[in-house]
């Protein structure tokens, strides 16, 4: 048995053991998992990219309704399986692949399809640049899409964006990143508030070129490679 065949057999066994007993049915997760394995083998994640590769498992509305209660578990297990498959294939990825389950009204019961979305290696990722403040000219890259994410800006060392500014609260403001890359901010009840483009606001959308003033620090929204 060659290396590819052994890898495929290992993945198939993993899928069967994880799902076959728990989810019997005409279109069960074991079947979908095998199809996912074959799709990843045909279209593996790219070693370079500004975000994770995304595999969307589409099923008909009836099958989706049957599987929806276990959707978080399925997505976690499929994502774990995809990461393990890539690791065993020797792929070094900046971001682990993401797998999601979706309903497609165009699909009839018992059928499925898998969409592959690989990131553009040249696509920019959102970033915050310190335009003015004690942190110098630091640039903080934010979590890239497609997965919803957030980044906490503050003085505490546990924050995602740590600012050495005594007028910045320990947890000052949260930056929200939607799957489509849209940004927004939300003040976390900071002592000195947040200025968005010079106006005091507790929340709102963020666009490239916008400025956030937190304490004595000014952050500019940019994109970075």
């Amino acid at each position: 048995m060659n290396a590819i065949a052994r890898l495929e057999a290992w993945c198939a066994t993993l899928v069967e053991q994880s799902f076959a007993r728990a989810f019997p049915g005409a279109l069960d997760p074991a079947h979908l998992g095998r199809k996912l394995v074959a799709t990843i083998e045909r279209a593996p994640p790219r070693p370079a990219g500004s975000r994770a590769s995304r595999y969307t498992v589409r099923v008909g509305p009836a099958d989706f309704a049957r599987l929806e209660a276990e959707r978080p578990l399925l997505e976690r297990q499929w994502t774990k399986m995809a990461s393990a498959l890539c690791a065993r294939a020797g792929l070094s990825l900046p971001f682990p692949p993401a797998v999601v389950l979706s309903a497609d009204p165009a699909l009839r019961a018992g059928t499925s399809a898998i969409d592959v979305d690989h990131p553009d290696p040249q696509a920019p990722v959102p970033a915050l640049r310190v335009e003015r403040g004690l942190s110098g000219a630091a640039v903080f890259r934010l979590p890239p899409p497609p997965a919803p994410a957030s980044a906490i800006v503050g003085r505490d060392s546990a924050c995602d964006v740590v600012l050495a500014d005594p007028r910045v609260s320990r947890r000052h403001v949260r930056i929200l990143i939607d799957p489509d890359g849209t940004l927004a901010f939300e003040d976390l009840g900071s002592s000195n508030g947040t200025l968005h483009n010079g106006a005091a606001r507790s929340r709102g959308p963020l666009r490239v070129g916008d400025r956030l003033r937190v304490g004595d620090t000014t952050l500019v929204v940019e994109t970075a490679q």
Side-chain angles (χ1 to χ4, degrees):
M1 182 181 291
N2 60 34
I4 294 177
R6 286 197 302 270
L7 183 61
E8 185 174 358
W10 175 83
C11 291
T13 300
L14 177 64
V15 171
E16 293 288 352
Q17 291 176 347
S18 298
F19 301 113
R21 298 190 194 93
F23 301 99
L27 183 61
D28 61 73
H31 167 81
L32 296 173
R34 288 191 295 271
K35 191 169 185 176
L36 178 62
V37 167
T39 301
I40 294 173
E41 289 179 341
R42 289 195 307 270
R46 295 170 180 170
S50 59
R51 58 177 175 82
S53 289
R54 184 186 185 98
Y55 296 87
T56 301
V57 180
R58 294 186 287 113
V59 299
D63 289 314
F64 184 83
R66 182 169 56 84
L67 299 171
E68 188 173 14
E70 302 298 334
R71 179 183 177 187
L73 171 64
L74 293 173
E75 291 180 341
R76 286 196 303 271
Q77 294 293 339
W78 281 334
T79 297
K80 182 178 179 180
M81 182 197 71
S83 296
L85 175 61
C86 293
R88 288 178 70 92
L91 295 177
S92 178
L93 304 174
F95 306 102
V99 183
V100 297
L101 179 67
S102 174
D104 185 349
L107 292 176
R108 67 181 186 274
T111 63
S112 63
I114 298 179
D115 296 330
V116 181
D117 177 20
H118 289 317
D120 179 355
Q122 303 303 318
V125 298
L128 296 176
R129 177 175 59 84
V130 178
E131 183 179 63
R132 176 182 178 184
L134 297 176
S135 298
V139 175
F140 300 94
R141 292 165 64 95
L142 298 174
S150 66
I152 304 297
V153 179
R155 201 177 69 252
D156 193 291
S157 61
C159 290
D160 303 288
V161 177
V162 181
L163 301 176
D165 183 338
R167 296 192 69 245
V168 169
S169 295
R170 294 179 65 83
R171 290 168 54 87
H172 197 109
V173 66
R174 177 185 288 113
I175 308 299
L176 306 169
I177 304 101
D178 283 344
D180 62 0
T182 302
L183 301 179
F185 75 95
E186 176 186 19
D187 188 273
L188 299 175
S190 64
S191 300
N192 296 306
T194 299
L195 298 181
H196 176 227
N197 293 334
R201 295 191 177 95
S202 60
R203 65 182 67 229
L206 280 177
R207 299 176 180 84
V208 172
D210 282 4
R211 285 167 169 77
L212 287 178
R213 178 74 178 268
V214 292
D216 292 325
T217 301
T218 301
L219 302 169
V220 182
V221 181
E222 295 184 344
T223 55
Q225 294 293 339

